[in-house]
Amino acid sequence: MNSIYNVVIAGLGGQGVLKASDILADAAFRAGYDVKKSELHGMSQRGGSVSSDVRFGPQVWSPMVPTGEADVLVVLDETQVEVNRAVLAPNGVLIGPDRLDAAALKNKKSLNVTLLGALSAHLPIASEHWLAAIHANLAPKLHKLNEQSFALGRAAVAVREAAAV
């Protein structure tokens, strides 16, 4: 990865793409990075595609991730993999729901935060910043559920990497 981290989060309207990118941008900002974020949504209220670019590093000039330069592509719906694959860098990481044990999710609405947990294993942002961002961007009644979801996503990456060794 470069000194600028490029992340694209994509999914369908109502899946929490924008909330996930808000949490990522907040966590990166809390970690001391310059952060830029942009959103693209078409017919999102009717289940259409939604994507959000988040860039962070020592100094970021543009909020848009150039085509072929995303270090990580997070998709909340498998139908969005091919739609967004062009943004992924040749050595980029693709994170999708297939990386998780869907049966372990206590609430399917927390899939976006679970995938952020998986994403967190690939970015230089401390867990304390992620948890503070989750608390700042979600209602207090949702904190415990989303903390568990975040931990589930992070653990899924650890299990996969251990299995690959």
Short mmCIF file of all heavy atoms in Angstrom, two decimals, residues 107 109-110 134-149:
data_model
loop_
_atom_site.label_atom_id
_atom_site.label_comp_id
_atom_site.label_asym_id
_atom_site.label_seq_id
_atom_site.Cartn_x
_atom_site.Cartn_y
_atom_site.Cartn_z
N ASN A 107 -27.63 -9.88 14.08
CA ASN A 107 -28.58 -9.02 13.38
C ASN A 107 -27.99 -8.72 12.00
O ASN A 107 -26.91 -8.15 11.91
CB ASN A 107 -28.81 -7.74 14.18
CG ASN A 107 -29.87 -6.87 13.57
OD1 ASN A 107 -30.09 -6.87 12.36
ND2 ASN A 107 -30.53 -6.10 14.41
N LYS A 109 -28.61 -6.51 9.98
CA LYS A 109 -28.41 -5.08 9.74
C LYS A 109 -27.01 -4.63 10.14
O LYS A 109 -26.59 -3.55 9.77
CB LYS A 109 -29.45 -4.26 10.49
CG LYS A 109 -30.84 -4.40 9.92
CD LYS A 109 -31.82 -3.52 10.66
CE LYS A 109 -33.19 -3.62 10.04
NZ LYS A 109 -34.17 -2.80 10.76
N SER A 110 -26.32 -5.44 10.90
CA SER A 110 -24.96 -5.06 11.32
C SER A 110 -23.89 -5.64 10.39
O SER A 110 -22.71 -5.60 10.71
CB SER A 110 -24.71 -5.50 12.76
OG SER A 110 -24.74 -6.90 12.86
N ILE A 134 -17.44 3.92 15.99
CA ILE A 134 -18.72 3.20 16.03
C ILE A 134 -19.64 3.87 17.04
O ILE A 134 -20.82 4.13 16.76
CB ILE A 134 -18.49 1.71 16.37
CG1 ILE A 134 -17.86 1.00 15.16
CG2 ILE A 134 -19.78 1.02 16.79
CD1 ILE A 134 -17.33 -0.40 15.46
N HIS A 135 -19.13 4.21 18.19
CA HIS A 135 -19.94 4.86 19.23
C HIS A 135 -20.42 6.24 18.78
O HIS A 135 -21.55 6.63 19.08
CB HIS A 135 -19.15 4.98 20.53
CG HIS A 135 -19.01 3.67 21.24
ND1 HIS A 135 -18.80 3.57 22.58
CD2 HIS A 135 -19.04 2.39 20.79
CE1 HIS A 135 -18.72 2.30 22.94
NE2 HIS A 135 -18.87 1.56 21.86
N ALA A 136 -19.57 6.97 18.08
CA ALA A 136 -19.93 8.33 17.66
C ALA A 136 -20.95 8.34 16.52
O ALA A 136 -21.68 9.32 16.37
CB ALA A 136 -18.67 9.07 17.22
N ASN A 137 -21.02 7.25 15.75
CA ASN A 137 -21.88 7.26 14.56
C ASN A 137 -23.15 6.42 14.68
O ASN A 137 -23.96 6.39 13.75
CB ASN A 137 -21.07 6.78 13.34
CG ASN A 137 -20.11 7.82 12.86
OD1 ASN A 137 -20.50 8.74 12.15
ND2 ASN A 137 -18.85 7.73 13.29
N LEU A 138 -23.29 5.70 15.79
CA LEU A 138 -24.47 4.87 15.98
C LEU A 138 -25.13 5.21 17.32
O LEU A 138 -24.46 5.65 18.26
CB LEU A 138 -24.10 3.39 15.95
CG LEU A 138 -23.51 2.89 14.62
CD1 LEU A 138 -22.98 1.47 14.78
CD2 LEU A 138 -24.56 2.94 13.52
N ALA A 139 -26.43 4.96 17.41
CA ALA A 139 -27.17 5.22 18.64
C ALA A 139 -26.66 4.33 19.78
O ALA A 139 -26.25 3.18 19.52
CB ALA A 139 -28.66 4.96 18.42
N PRO A 140 -26.67 4.82 21.01
CA PRO A 140 -26.16 4.03 22.15
C PRO A 140 -26.77 2.63 22.25
O PRO A 140 -26.08 1.68 22.62
CB PRO A 140 -26.51 4.89 23.36
CG PRO A 140 -26.52 6.28 22.83
CD PRO A 140 -27.07 6.16 21.43
N LYS A 141 -28.03 2.47 21.91
CA LYS A 141 -28.65 1.15 22.02
C LYS A 141 -28.06 0.13 21.04
O LYS A 141 -28.26 -1.07 21.19
CB LYS A 141 -30.17 1.25 21.82
CG LYS A 141 -30.57 1.62 20.41
CD LYS A 141 -32.08 1.72 20.27
CE LYS A 141 -32.46 2.05 18.85
NZ LYS A 141 -33.89 2.22 18.68
N LEU A 142 -27.32 0.61 20.06
CA LEU A 142 -26.71 -0.27 19.05
C LEU A 142 -25.22 -0.54 19.30
O LEU A 142 -24.61 -1.32 18.57
CB LEU A 142 -26.87 0.34 17.66
CG LEU A 142 -28.31 0.62 17.22
CD1 LEU A 142 -28.33 1.37 15.90
CD2 LEU A 142 -29.09 -0.69 17.11
N HIS A 143 -24.67 0.06 20.33
CA HIS A 143 -23.22 -0.05 20.55
C HIS A 143 -22.78 -1.49 20.78
O HIS A 143 -21.85 -1.97 20.14
CB HIS A 143 -22.78 0.83 21.71
CG HIS A 143 -22.83 2.29 21.40
ND1 HIS A 143 -22.58 3.26 22.32
CD2 HIS A 143 -23.13 2.96 20.25
CE1 HIS A 143 -22.71 4.46 21.77
NE2 HIS A 143 -23.05 4.29 20.50
N LYS A 144 -23.40 -2.19 21.73
CA LYS A 144 -22.95 -3.53 22.08
C LYS A 144 -23.05 -4.48 20.87
O LYS A 144 -22.12 -5.22 20.57
CB LYS A 144 -23.75 -4.08 23.26
CG LYS A 144 -23.24 -5.41 23.73
CD LYS A 144 -23.89 -5.86 25.01
CE LYS A 144 -23.27 -7.18 25.42
NZ LYS A 144 -23.53 -7.53 26.78
N LEU A 145 -24.19 -4.47 20.19
CA LEU A 145 -24.39 -5.32 19.02
C LEU A 145 -23.31 -5.05 17.97
O LEU A 145 -22.72 -5.98 17.41
CB LEU A 145 -25.77 -5.09 18.41
CG LEU A 145 -26.01 -5.75 17.05
CD1 LEU A 145 -26.06 -7.27 17.19
CD2 LEU A 145 -27.27 -5.23 16.41
N ASN A 146 -23.01 -3.79 17.72
CA ASN A 146 -22.04 -3.45 16.68
C ASN A 146 -20.60 -3.70 17.14
O ASN A 146 -19.75 -4.02 16.31
CB ASN A 146 -22.26 -2.02 16.20
CG ASN A 146 -23.44 -1.97 15.25
OD1 ASN A 146 -23.33 -2.39 14.11
ND2 ASN A 146 -24.59 -1.51 15.74
N GLU A 147 -20.34 -3.59 18.42
CA GLU A 147 -19.01 -3.98 18.92
C GLU A 147 -18.79 -5.48 18.67
O GLU A 147 -17.72 -5.90 18.25
CB GLU A 147 -18.88 -3.68 20.41
CG GLU A 147 -18.74 -2.21 20.72
CD GLU A 147 -18.78 -1.94 22.22
OE1 GLU A 147 -18.76 -2.90 23.03
OE2 GLU A 147 -18.84 -0.76 22.59
N GLN A 148 -19.82 -6.27 18.94
CA GLN A 148 -19.74 -7.72 18.72
C GLN A 148 -19.59 -8.02 17.23
O GLN A 148 -18.81 -8.90 16.83
CB GLN A 148 -20.98 -8.42 19.28
CG GLN A 148 -21.07 -8.37 20.78
CD GLN A 148 -22.42 -8.83 21.32
OE1 GLN A 148 -23.41 -8.88 20.60
NE2 GLN A 148 -22.44 -9.16 22.61
N SER A 149 -20.32 -7.30 16.40
CA SER A 149 -20.25 -7.49 14.96
C SER A 149 -18.86 -7.14 14.43
O SER A 149 -18.30 -7.86 13.60
CB SER A 149 -21.31 -6.64 14.25
OG SER A 149 -22.59 -7.04 14.66
#
